Amino acid sequence: MAKTIRPAAVAGMFYTDAPNALRRDINDYMHQATPPALTHVRAVIAPHAGYVYSGPVAAFAYKVLAAQPAPPKRIYLMGPSHRVWFSGVALADYSAFSTPLGNHPLDVEKIEALASSGDPFAARNAPHAPEHCLEVHIPFLQVIFPDVPVIPMLFGDVDAAFVGQRLNEALEAEDVIIVSSDLSHYHDNRTAHTLDRQFINAVLEGKPREAARGEACGQAPAVALMTIAEKRGWQPHLLDYRTSGDIRGDTSQVVGYAAIAFVEAAQ
């Protein structure tokens, strides 16, 4: 039985549904981003809010990925389920994700292999259908890596370190991981900066237990990534950090956004 295509759930809300304007927005964010020159980038953490808020920060992560000498073989796109509760990790059982820029392919064979491997992975579309945190990254990928297949993964109630251990077994040399996460939510700007720095420092210092105590909504996939990074010797680098207040000016109730890259030591 042929797999279906997941339709866009938040086009016209989190980002424009006009294809030309969407591509222009992404190119503008990428042009304005000024990340350091990094090689051997194996993973990034990037935010998932509406583009007018998080787009400038997410672009730092995508500009670093786009600057690598070759595209990855596949991309593990991992984020938290905001709207559906479940146990484990839900793999998207579709053939593609649709956005105003077209259909982006999924790695159906790898998704099926992971699902058949058992706990904590299962093919489960219900959490993916309304979810924004992975979808908002797809247009960026359609601009920089239009032919690279994605494995969309939503984290429910799960042991994040265990997920990291299982993924470490599946990860191939040319694969890349993208973790979708915003940071603290709805504090004043000064409080947000303080809370977010605690999470960022925990990530940069390789302290997953401290990262798990933060307010990042994607702390579980972030901890899974940190587990892999520790096993493989990947080093994190902060690319950008800002709040919605820093970007848009209203500092009374803000959301934090960070872009962090994980770099493999040259062999």
Side-chain angles (χ1 to χ4, degrees), residues 77-82 84-91 120-121 127-128 131 133-134 152-164 167 178-179 217-225:
L77 179 57
M78 315 191 313
S81 179
H82 287 82
V84 178
W85 184 94
F86 57 92
S87 180
V89 175
L91 302 167
F121 305 115
H128 285 275
E131 180 60 50
C133 81
L134 304 185
M153 310 172 68
L154 287 175
F155 283 51
D157 184 8
V158 70
D159 181 338
F162 176 58
V163 180
L167 280 178
I178 297 173
V179 166
C217 56
Q219 60 183 227
V223 168
L225 170 56

Side-chain angles (χ1 to χ4, degrees), residues 89-204:
V89 175
L91 302 167
D93 193 25
Y94 301 98
S95 63
F97 268 39
S98 179
T99 82
L101 299 183
N103 296 331
H104 194 86
L106 305 192
D107 191 330
V108 172
E109 182 176 344
K110 193 69 171 180
I111 290 169
E112 291 178 345
L114 281 173
S116 65
S117 73
D119 187 42
F121 305 115
R124 186 181 285 134
N125 282 347
H128 285 275
E131 180 60 50
H132 67 278
C133 81
L134 304 185
E135 177 184 323
V136 297
H137 292 280
I138 298 296
F140 276 94
L141 293 173
Q142 289 175 303
V143 169
I144 68 169
F145 296 139
D147 300 319
V148 176
V150 171
I151 300 174
M153 310 172 68
L154 287 175
F155 283 51
D157 184 8
V158 70
D159 181 338
F162 176 58
V163 180
Q165 293 165 8
R166 290 293 317 278
L167 280 178
N168 187 56
E169 298 167 0
L171 202 66
E172 297 181 25
E174 297 174 354
D175 296 342
V176 159
I177 297 171
I178 297 173
V179 166
S180 176
S181 182
D182 293 343
L183 304 187
S184 65
H185 285 61
Y186 310 131
H187 301 282
D188 65 86
N189 208 42
R190 178 176 295 182
T191 302
H193 274 258
T194 299
L195 293 171
D196 293 341
R197 283 293 170 180
Q198 292 171 357
F199 174 81
I200 291 168
N201 289 341
V203 173
L204 297 180

Side-chain angles (χ1 to χ4, degrees), residues 200-211 226 229-230 236 262:
I200 291 168
N201 289 341
V203 173
L204 297 180
E205 295 167 10
K207 298 178 178 178
R209 289 185 180 180
E210 292 185 14
M226 293 172 71
E230 181 180 13
F262 287 74

